[in-house]
Amino acid sequence: MSERTATIQRDTSETQISLSLNLDGTGEARIETGVPFFNHMLELLTKHALIDLEVQASGHHEVDYHHTVEVVDLVLGQALTQVPGDRIGILRYGSSLLPMDQALARVAIDLGGRPYLVFGVNHAERKIRDFDLGLLEEFFRAFTTEGRLNLHAAHLYGKDVHHAYESIFKGVAKALDMALSRDPRVA
């Protein structure tokens, strides 16, 4: 059984990112993007997908968080595609119906190589503190494109916007964990 790990370093004029991914981890997260709410969402993804993820990112936060979130999602998707094994022997599909207090998310993933995103979170609130929540749909769009996966994620109900996005990230994590699991019947 080969190690399913990848490490990527990406430096641009706007951001510097170092990312290491281990798909056969224990949920260990070492994440510092300079964006507290985004750190929290990535930590949830890591913990509930049982992957190990290390992200060190810096960017032009005095302007906004867009570039940091954008590059982290691109690099995370690229890392997923660079993991050795070309997805041979995995379950490929994963899904989750995940509650977070009063919020409920439905997520389905196909790691078959055809990128597509369907994303639905309908909330009047557009920010949590100074974080623009619209960046999270862009995060998943770039992740699906670079990670070559099909992702359907919907927040079904719940009034707390933090819990809405938390249920989405945890649901993606559980579906990803299922899809990446090895099928012992495949040689």
Side-chain angles (χ1 to χ4, degrees):
M1 206 177 336
S2 65
E3 273 193 20
R4 299 190 301 169
T5 62
T7 300
I8 297 177
Q9 177 80 33
R10 179 173 170 161
D11 295 325
T12 69
S13 61
E14 297 160 332
T15 57
Q16 295 77 45
I17 308 286
S18 173
L19 184 142
S20 294
L21 173 66
N22 177 358
L23 297 182
D24 298 313
T26 60
E28 183 179 333
R30 287 192 305 270
I31 297 168
E32 183 46 61
T33 66
V35 185
F37 183 74
F38 187 50
N39 289 350
H40 178 52
M41 293 297 111
L42 291 175
E43 289 162 357
L44 293 172
L45 181 71
T46 302
K47 177 181 178 181
H48 294 281
L50 291 173
I51 60 176
D52 292 343
L53 181 63
E54 184 173 339
V55 178
Q56 292 297 314
S58 60
H60 293 155
H61 296 153
E62 64 279 358
V63 176
D64 68 12
Y65 298 140
H66 173 81
H67 292 115
T68 300
V69 173
E70 177 182 55
V71 176
V72 169
D73 56 21
L74 292 171
V75 172
L76 180 58
Q78 290 168 358
L80 184 62
T81 62
Q82 290 182 13
V83 168
D86 199 32
R87 302 180 189 190
I88 295 170
I90 62 169
L91 293 176
R92 179 178 161 177
Y93 298 99
S95 62
S96 176
L97 190 61
L98 196 127
M100 174 61 205
D101 294 344
Q102 83 296 342
L104 184 67
R106 179 184 59 226
V107 176
I109 288 178
D110 172 11
L111 296 176
R114 294 195 316 253
Y116 199 84
L117 175 68
V118 176
F119 189 82
V121 177
N122 296 315
H123 258 281
E125 294 177 62
R126 297 307 310 151
K127 288 193 175 204
I128 291 181
R129 297 184 69 180
D130 63 343
F131 185 82
D132 178 358
L133 294 168
L135 293 175
L136 296 180
E137 182 172 356
E138 295 309 311
F139 168 84
F140 284 117
R141 185 171 321 288
F143 178 64
T144 58
T145 301
E146 293 296 324
R148 297 182 6 244
L149 59 100
N150 185 307
L151 173 62
H152 293 248
H155 170 247
L156 301 178
Y157 54 79
K159 293 181 181 178
D160 185 294
V161 69
H162 183 128
H163 291 166
Y165 283 97
E166 191 163 329
S167 66
I168 291 280
F169 269 81
K170 288 178 177 178
V172 168
K174 297 311 276 182
L176 192 58
D177 180 40
M178 181 186 299
L180 289 167
S181 295
R182 290 189 168 109
D183 187 333
R185 298 168 295 176
V186 178

